[in-house]
């Protein structure tokens, strides 16, 4: 029996959301700035003193992957670069795919050909 709708992430090309701002420090660590917009976020900002912009500092692994996303390389190419940079990492492909899905779920990136994250 053949599985349908099976995703082959190796062929997907991640693209950063152009509306997301980030900066890289001298050590190559990336900080991503997420702006919270919308009705419920405004209420939280006003009444619960939530910040309008959160800064998320990525670790070395996340920073490497974030900087490797250029809109041209597919997941397979990024995974090969990741294996060269972090040779002792266990389950690097599974971790990479999970990290990319987290970025996508938080609208920090989308897959090329997919409707752009807003």
């Amino acid at each position: 029996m053949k599985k349908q709708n099976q995703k082959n992430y190796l062929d997907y090309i991640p693209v950063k959301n152009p509306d997301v701002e980030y900066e890289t420090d001298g050590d190559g660590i990336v900080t991503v700035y997420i702006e919270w917009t919308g009705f419920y976020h405004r209420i939280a900002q006003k009444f619960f003193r939530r910040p309008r912009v959160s800064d998320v500092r990525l670790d070395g692994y996340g920073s490497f992957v974030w900087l490797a996303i250029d809109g041209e390389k597919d997941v397979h190419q990024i995974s090969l670069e990741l294996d060269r940079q972090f040779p002792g990492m266990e389950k690097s492909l599974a971790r990479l795919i999970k990290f990319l899905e987290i970025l996508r779920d938080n609208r920090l990136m989308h897959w090329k050909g997919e409707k752009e994250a807003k």
Side-chain angles (χ1 to χ4, degrees):
M1 190 181 211
K2 197 176 190 181
K3 288 185 180 180
Q4 298 206 5
N5 259 351
Q6 196 171 19
K7 296 179 181 179
N8 185 358
Y9 283 103
L10 295 178
D11 296 330
Y12 284 26
I13 299 173
V15 179
K16 291 177 194 159
N17 182 339
D19 296 331
V20 174
E21 294 184 26
Y22 67 95
E23 62 182 28
T24 308
D25 68 13
D27 296 326
I29 300 299
V30 173
T31 302
V32 178
Y33 299 98
I34 302 171
E35 183 175 5
W36 301 107
T37 59
F39 177 74
Y40 293 109
H41 292 295
R42 281 192 292 261
I43 289 174
Q45 291 163 16
K46 185 170 185 161
F47 295 107
F48 302 112
R49 300 174 198 252
R50 297 288 177 152
R52 186 180 64 77
V53 177
S54 295
D55 55 329
V56 179
R57 184 177 161 92
L58 303 177
D59 62 2
Y61 168 80
S63 295
F64 181 84
V65 173
W66 180 262
L67 295 173
I69 297 172
D70 62 2
E72 299 296 324
K73 293 181 217 160
D74 59 24
V75 173
H76 182 254
Q77 291 168 318
I78 294 172
S79 74
L80 293 175
E81 290 180 14
L82 188 64
D83 287 341
R84 281 193 294 272
Q85 183 70 23
F86 300 94
M89 182 183 297
E90 291 185 33
K91 300 182 181 179
S92 62
L93 182 59
R95 290 179 66 181
L96 172 62
I97 290 170
K98 182 64 177 173
F99 181 69
L100 292 171
E101 281 296 322
I102 291 169
L103 291 178
R104 183 176 174 270
D105 290 345
N106 287 286
R107 297 185 178 116
L108 300 176
M109 53 109 352
H110 64 276
W111 301 117
K112 193 171 196 170
E114 172 183 62
K115 185 180 176 204
E116 191 171 308
K118 290 285 177 185

